[in-house]
Amino acid sequence: MTMGPALRKGVLTAHVTASVGWLGAVAASLVLAAAAMASSDELVVRGAYLLLEPLALYLLVPLSFASLLTGVIQSLGTRWGLFRHYWVVAKLLINVFASIVLLLYLRTLGYLAATASTGDLTSLRNPSPLLHGGVALVLLGLATVLSVFKPKGVTAHGRRRQTTERAAMAQT
Ligand code: HEM
């Protein structure tokens, strides 16, 4: 089933907003993670670890789900399909992988926020949010490049679909 032009543009707008918004929110979390590692001001360090958790919970997680949902609708509702082009499959894998790691990482962020409100400052400094945020930024950057360039590679499933579609066109 293919979407009409207005619906397609509407879903695409939602998809780009959610996906690139997710990338921007990851960049914001990197600033907090860097401040938490580098700042000599105790309030900044504690504040950064306290803010990383709600940022993930109320922004990163909803945006990652919105990106996945709109991306799947956009794929299934257009000629791109979900498993026909390698660039779409790669983005699906990036999204699912990053979302699962993010959900698992919420525990660590909760622990860091709890320590930040009461614990000792030296045991608090932790490079892992910087590392996770850095890897997420690279993966989402890669997904953005794939989206814009849309490399040609077609999967075996995509080739079969092309053949049946061409045969159906020839018969009409
Ligand atoms: C991982 C994070 C993602 C980012 C950063 C991202 C980013 C983007 C961007 C910027 C575009 C617009 C490109 C253009 O038309 O020039 C786009 C389009 C598209 N995305 Fe994503 N996307 C992501 C995830 C996904 C997922 C999970 C899927 C589906 C499995 C998906 C499927 C698509 C499709 C099919 C289009 C083309 C829509 C069309 O031309 O009608 N994306 N994406």
Side-chain angles (χ1 to χ4, degrees):
M1 190 191 64
T2 326
M3 295 188 280
L7 182 61
R8 178 183 177 163
K9 281 191 181 158
V11 178
L12 183 59
T13 304
H15 179 62
V16 174
T17 307
S19 306
V20 182
W22 183 16
L23 188 133
V26 167
S29 77
L30 267 175
V31 172
L32 286 179
M37 279 303 285
S39 176
S40 51
D41 185 336
E42 185 177 336
L43 277 178
V44 171
V45 178
R46 290 190 191 278
Y49 284 118
L50 281 169
L51 282 174
L52 276 170
E53 191 192 20
L55 181 74
L57 210 52
Y58 302 119
L59 203 57
L60 295 178
V61 171
L63 287 176
S64 73
F65 281 117
S67 163
L68 181 63
L69 183 70
T70 53
V72 169
I73 295 172
Q74 193 69 22
S75 305
L76 295 176
T78 60
R79 69 188 171 87
W80 293 116
L82 196 51
F83 299 109
R84 292 189 208 176
H85 297 266
Y86 283 115
W87 69 270
V88 178
V89 177
K91 278 177 38 163
L92 180 63
L93 291 177
I94 288 175
N95 190 310
V96 170
F97 173 76
S99 302
I100 290 174
V101 174
L102 175 62
L103 288 177
L104 296 174
Y105 198 59
L106 289 177
R107 256 177 84 100
T108 308
L109 291 177
Y111 165 78
L112 286 171
T115 317
S117 54
T118 50
D120 160 44
L121 195 65
T122 43
S123 68
L124 187 59
R125 289 205 202 254
N126 188 325
S128 107
L130 205 55
L131 193 79
H132 281 78
V135 173
L137 194 72
V138 170
L139 286 177
L140 296 181
L142 179 67
T144 308
V145 172
L146 285 174
S147 311
V148 175
F149 284 89
K150 302 183 176 70
K152 284 202 182 328
V154 177
T155 63
H157 166 71
R159 262 194 304 278
R160 279 196 298 276
R161 287 296 296 251
Q162 276 176 356
T163 314
T164 31
E165 275 167 15
R166 274 181 202 142
M169 289 273 281
Q171 278 178 357
T172 54

